[in-house]
């Protein structure tokens, strides 16, 4: 069993579509202090491909990415990012 990482903040962007998924995530990260973590709930597909990649490009660290339900890898995922 993997260790659960607890995040300082939480953001659910499952109701959003690209590019708003990244815009909302970026705005939240900008308000955070360096070292804080954010858990993002996002859909598979474009959000899962684009949001982590864009956060890395901005210099932040992705600590984990996993599906909420192991039997549904094309469903909702949880992403934990640390602001650097």
């Amino acid at each position: 069993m993997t260790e659960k990482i607890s995040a300082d903040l939480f953001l659910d962007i499952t109701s959003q579509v690209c590019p708003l998924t990244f815009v909302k995530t970026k705005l939240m990260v900008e308000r955070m202090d360096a070292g804080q973590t954010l858990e993002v709930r996002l859909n598979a597909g474009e959000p899962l491909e684009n949001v982590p990649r864009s956060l890395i490009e901005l210099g932040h660290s992705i600590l984990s990415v996993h599906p909420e339900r192991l039997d549904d890898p094309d469903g909702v995922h949880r992403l934990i990012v640390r602001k650097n």
Side-chain angles (χ1 to χ4, degrees):
M1 180 135 198
T2 59
E3 180 183 339
K4 175 146 173 59
I5 301 170
S6 68
D8 299 309
L9 300 163
F10 177 78
L11 177 65
D12 186 340
I13 55 171
T14 55
S15 65
Q16 305 297 316
V17 295
C18 289
L20 284 180
T21 52
F22 176 64
V23 170
K24 290 199 175 254
T25 304
K26 182 177 183 241
L27 289 172
M28 178 71 98
V29 170
E30 286 176 350
R31 292 193 302 258
M32 294 166 47
D33 293 329
Q36 280 191 305
T37 55
L38 171 67
E39 181 175 357
V40 183
R41 188 171 185 260
L42 68 168
N43 294 316
E46 279 188 78
L48 185 58
E49 294 169 21
N50 296 334
V51 172
R53 184 189 69 236
S54 297
L55 289 167
I56 290 169
E57 288 173 1
L58 290 175
H60 305 299
S61 299
I62 303 302
L63 302 181
S64 72
V65 180
H66 63 276
E68 278 189 348
R69 293 182 30 201
L70 294 177
D71 63 340
D72 188 16
D74 295 326
V76 175
H77 283 65
R78 300 280 180 139
L79 161 77
I80 298 183
V81 59
R82 180 177 53 230
K83 180 175 183 173
N84 293 332

